[in-house]
Amino acid sequence: MNNFRNICIYLILIFTCSFVICQDIPDGRYELSSALINDKLYFFGGATDATNSSNEVYYIDLSSTFDIFTPPFKKVSTRMPVGDNLGTCVSSPDNSTIFLIGGRMTSTSTAVYKFDPISLQWTIPIIDGFNNSFINRNEINAVIDSKGKTYIFCGTDYNVGNSAVGINIFYEMSLFDTTSMTWSTSTLPTNILPRIDYSATLLPIGLIIYIGGHTQLTPSSAYTYTSFNDILIFDTKSLSWSNKTASGATIQPRAGHSAVLIKDGNIIIFGGANGAAQVYPDLAVLNTNTWIWSVPSNSTVNAPPSLAFHTANLYKIYMIIAFGGKTFQKVVRPYVYSNNIYIFDTETYSWVSSFNEVSQGTPTNKGGTSTNQGGLSTDNGNSSTYKIILKEIEKNLISEGLHNSDLYDKEKHGNSVV
Ligand SMILES: *[C@@H]1O[C@H](CO)[C@@H](O)[C@H](O)[C@H]1NC(C)=O
Ligand SMILES: *[C@@H]1O[C@H](CO)[C@@H](O)[C@H](O)[C@H]1NC(C)=O
Ligand SMILES: *[C@@H]1O[C@H](CO)[C@@H](O)[C@H](O)[C@H]1NC(C)=O
Ligand SMILES: *[C@@H]1O[C@H](CO)[C@@H](O)[C@H](O)[C@H]1NC(C)=O
Ligand SMILES: *[C@@H]1O[C@H](CO)[C@@H](O)[C@H](O)[C@H]1NC(C)=O
Ligand SMILES: *[C@@H]1O[C@H](CO)[C@@H](O)[C@H](O)[C@H]1NC(C)=O
């Protein structure tokens, strides 16, 4: 009798899952890129396994609340013209266009594509002075300023399938002006070391803060990790370089971490990997006035597993982490890639399971940014029904000796790509 009930509940879950919740669920992936346009957070490409470079585009609409167990992924009907991983994306200041720049593209006829999120069209922009040696450039992170100038630091030309011999790290800054559609390349001063797999964060005063990643002490030497105390700074106003020595908490060197700037001027870094292994701490804060590192919270409630080559974007007060390689499992093949979303509240410094404040219609505009004025539907797709079903199943499964974590994997549809 009880078994019959369990089966029924399971079937209900499967039906709910197929028709309501699991629509457009992307495969797990890492090395993707993301861009925020108004209330939509777009995800481009990424590697779904060691060899498959995806050309899919997904987005989530952040204007409605959702919880991390049922992220409302939507697949964009138009795919990218190329598969791409380890590239970078920027949104034009007027939010009309997303540029996909570099990465390991499955076609190397160019390295820049333009996406119109309204018409869903992809085009190849004509860029005056585009440097063909940028084709195949990857392991990069670009920033765009309010004038549409995009800065792309270094990168490598390594590509799976190409010979590993003669991998170059480029000692240069590429400047792509998306307003005038011009491109220029400048060589680094001799005292500045190149980096790849770093994070790049633009401060409002026009400084780009480069943190972590790999470097090369000489053009022929092997990669090494840069210390998280070596903060490299590019001034977009004077086009000059400088550096700061950070102090405070010890942050293990890593590559493939993310960084977002929050409103008090602090940079939050998350994740990354050292070799293939997990790094500590997962999350840290760099104060850009004092250059002191701190570790605010290590609560594991609603927190992601350790991830590398995921995406991170700041939406209002929330840092949204998506996808990524699960580093603690990466040392053992098959690799496991995430398709989950995690939300970090940058005011309370805690991981949350949903946009609670927004969903209750409470004004969240502590920083002066306008937010949804309470006119929101609180349950997009009504996941509470789903939650009630889950609660029932949880009770039943636990009573049969199944672990909560088994349920959680289903709940988050945490798929492992094997
Ligand atoms: C590559 O990944 C996409 C998206 O996950 C998937 O649809 C496709 O089947 C994969 N191709 C191969 C050859 O594995
Ligand atoms: C573009 O979208 C971003 C991200 O939501 C937003 O912060 C910004 O104000 C928007 N810009 C314009 C010009 O609408
Ligand atoms: C193009 O890039 C290459 C190497 O990345 C550099 O040597 C060359 O000077 C650049 N060309 C121009 C016109 O900037
Ligand atoms: C960092 O700054 C120090 C002191 O100003 C300087 O000696 C050094 O060359 C700089 N290093 C880099 C990589 O800019
Ligand atoms: C979290 O931080 C507390 C206080 O700093 C420390 O005692 C504890 O060991 C930490 N836990 C983990 C899992 O790092
Ligand atoms: C969602 O479902 C619950 C439980 O069935 C119901 O109480 C609630 O009114 C629904 N909410 C919306 C927004 O439809």
Side-chain angles (χ1 to χ4, degrees):
M1 198 55 192
N2 209 11
N3 262 348
F4 177 71
R5 200 168 139 232
N6 281 348
I7 288 163
C8 286
I9 291 166
Y10 235 119
L11 287 178
I12 292 169
L13 174 71
I14 287 160
F15 275 103
T16 318
C17 206
S18 333
F19 296 117
V20 183
I21 294 159
C22 300
Q23 277 173 358
D24 290 344
I25 303 246
D27 287 337
R29 63 196 60 213
Y30 76 156
E31 301 178 347
L32 68 162
S33 42
S34 65
L36 191 58
I37 290 268
N38 300 321
D39 295 321
K40 285 186 179 151
L41 178 55
Y42 290 86
F43 303 103
F44 298 93
T48 54
D49 63 36
T51 56
N52 189 356
S53 187
S54 165
N55 62 1
E56 296 165 315
V57 183
Y58 287 89
Y59 70 88
I60 51 172
D61 185 343
L62 302 168
S63 65
S64 306
T65 188
F66 66 90
D67 70 48
I68 60 172
F69 305 113
T70 55
F73 283 111
K74 292 271 183 289
K75 189 170 185 169
V76 174
S77 55
T78 324
R79 289 171 177 246
M80 309 189 310
V82 291
D84 192 42
N85 58 302
L86 291 165
T88 184
C89 280
V90 292
S91 306
S92 64
D94 66 359
N95 284 344
S96 66
T97 307
I98 295 169
F99 292 93
L100 174 70
I101 304 168
R104 296 179 186 168
M105 292 184 168
T106 50
S107 156
T108 51
S109 52
T110 184
V112 182
Y113 290 90
K114 195 176 153 177
F115 177 64
D116 178 331
I118 306 291
S119 70
L120 308 183
Q121 295 301 301
W122 284 95
T123 48
I124 297 177
I126 314 277
I127 306 168
D128 195 25
F130 177 70
N131 190 329
N132 278 320
S133 85
F134 191 84
I135 287 175
N136 233 356
R137 192 71 54 89
N138 62 86
E139 304 183 49
I140 47 179
N141 268 307
V143 298
I144 188 165
D145 69 13
S146 58
K147 304 254 165 45
K149 287 188 172 145
T150 304
Y151 299 86
I152 312 139
F153 181 49
C154 302
T156 159
D157 60 0
Y158 178 76
N159 203 343
V160 178
N162 289 359
S163 165
V165 179
I167 301 166
N168 293 307
I169 291 189
F170 290 85
Y171 285 57
E172 65 192 26
M173 178 68 104
S174 305
L175 202 177
F176 169 32
D177 187 330
T178 62
T179 306
S180 63
M181 278 294 164
T182 54
W183 188 280
S184 62
T185 311
S186 54
T187 305
L188 300 185
T190 50
N191 64 332
I192 302 296
L193 292 175
R195 297 188 185 203
I196 56 172
D197 302 321
Y198 51 81
S199 63
T201 311
L202 179 65
L203 302 185
I205 51 172
L207 303 180
I208 308 174
I209 310 302
Y210 292 103
I211 301 173
H214 295 106
T215 187
Q216 215 179 22
L217 299 175
T218 72
S220 58
S221 57
Y223 294 176
T224 55
Y225 286 96
T226 56
S227 162
F228 267 58
N229 292 338
D230 288 345
I231 308 295
L232 182 59
I233 301 173
F234 183 70
D235 185 336
T236 59
K237 301 223 162 81
S238 62
L239 304 182
S240 62
W241 293 93
S242 63
N243 65 36
K244 291 280 181 212
T245 301
S247 58
T250 302
I251 313 299
Q252 192 183 351
R254 64 193 68 187
H257 56 290
S258 59
V260 300
L261 177 70
I262 63 171
K263 71 163 194 293
D264 56 11
N266 290 344
I267 293 172
I268 301 186
I269 62 119
F270 174 74
N274 190 302
Q278 181 171 1
V279 281
Y280 299 93
D282 252 3
L283 185 140
V285 180
L286 179 64
N287 181 315
T288 58
N289 292 313
T290 60
W291 305 101
I292 292 175
W293 283 107
S294 60
V295 181
S297 150
N298 61 4
S299 165
T300 55
V301 179
N302 297 319
S306 69
L307 297 171
F309 296 99
H310 53 280
T311 61
N313 296 82
L314 187 76
Y315 178 76
K316 296 177 178 159
I317 62 163
Y318 301 102
M319 175 174 76
I320 301 186
I321 300 289
F323 298 96
K326 298 188 190 181
T327 52
F328 60 93
Q329 283 153 321
K330 237 185 103 180
V331 282
V332 185
R333 284 176 188 272
Y335 296 163
V336 177
Y337 303 109
S338 169
N339 62 353
N340 290 327
I341 300 266
Y342 299 92
I343 304 170
F344 189 77
D345 181 327
T346 65
E347 287 191 340
T348 60
Y349 284 93
S350 59
W351 295 100
V352 295
S353 64
S354 65
F355 290 4
N356 286 324
E357 280 187 284
V358 177
S359 72
Q360 260 105 61
T362 320
T364 55
N365 45 345
K366 292 172 192 158
T369 39
S370 106
T371 56
N372 298 290
Q373 259 84 54
L376 275 180
S377 133
T378 52
D379 214 339
N380 190 23
N382 207 345
S383 59
S384 51
T385 317
Y386 170 68
K387 274 185 233 156
I388 291 162
I389 296 166
L390 276 172
K391 280 273 163 336
E392 273 301 308
I393 290 178
E394 191 168 6
K395 268 192 277 173
N396 284 283
L397 293 185
I398 288 167
S399 70
E400 304 209 333
L402 277 157
H403 290 293
N404 225 351
S405 58
D406 297 333
L407 183 64
Y408 265 74
D409 274 338
K410 289 186 192 71
E411 206 175 348
K412 291 190 183 180
H413 26 259
N415 65 329
S416 41
V417 177
V418 278

